[in-house]
Amino acid sequence: AVRKFGAQAITASINNIYDHGNNIFCNSDGTQTQGIPTRNVCKYAYDLGVGEILLCDVWGNGVRGGYNCELLNECTYKIPIPVIAYGGCGKPQHMVDALIAGANAVASSSMFLFSDITPRDCSIYINEKGFEARIT
């Protein structure tokens, strides 16, 4: 796909579970693989030529307790492509925490579905904290 469409058109969606003190890659149905560290899967996706990674912490998804910043830090320092944090955002500060941990972008859904916080509120907050975000 990278050869046919170009790296800029390919995003690898990588799911993580936190298991016994380790960030482990898991299959799309949420089942654990054979203990493969998520950071290695991110590096493998980069080596394959993908343009960016959507990194989801499965256990944090929908909980709104914050992104897995340890995971973000663990994965982003190994690869020079954008990593989008997903899974766990409950307030704008969580987005800033993810950016500080190394994410290049953040994604959220439950926060917008189950609170009065808007994407515009988040953009304003992120800008106030010194990160670029488009305000519409």
Side-chain angles (χ1 to χ4, degrees):
V2 171
R3 283 191 296 266
K4 182 170 177 105
F5 301 108
Q8 82 289 345
I10 306 299
T11 300
S13 179
I14 297 175
N15 294 322
N16 175 79
I17 59 171
Y18 190 75
D19 186 37
H20 297 69
N22 296 304
N23 289 305
I24 305 295
F25 171 71
C26 70
N27 298 312
S28 59
D29 64 0
T31 58
Q32 185 174 334
T33 60
Q34 298 177 340
I36 302 168
T38 302
R39 67 181 174 274
N40 293 358
V41 177
C42 290
K43 176 74 167 69
Y44 180 66
Y46 165 70
D47 290 342
L48 289 174
V50 302
E52 65 186 3
I53 292 173
L54 177 65
L55 186 56
C56 179
D57 183 46
V58 174
W59 287 0
N61 201 11
V63 177
R64 297 183 291 164
Y67 298 99
N68 183 338
C69 290
E70 176 188 327
L71 170 70
L72 290 166
N73 187 271
E74 198 175 288
C75 294
T76 57
Y77 85 92
K78 285 189 153 258
I79 54 173
I81 58 174
V83 173
I84 305 163
Y86 185 64
C89 187
K91 58 187 179 181
Q93 181 60 47
H94 292 155
M95 294 178 165
V96 171
D97 294 341
L99 294 168
I100 290 169
N104 300 89
V106 291
S108 179
S109 59
S110 294
M111 176 178 65
F112 300 128
L113 293 170
F114 301 108
S115 78
D116 292 331
I117 299 169
T118 68
R120 188 172 196 280
D121 295 333
C122 294
S123 293
I124 291 168
Y125 186 83
I126 289 168
N127 276 317
E128 288 172 354
K129 297 300 180 181
F131 294 93
E132 276 191 53
R134 182 177 55 230
I135 300 174
T136 56

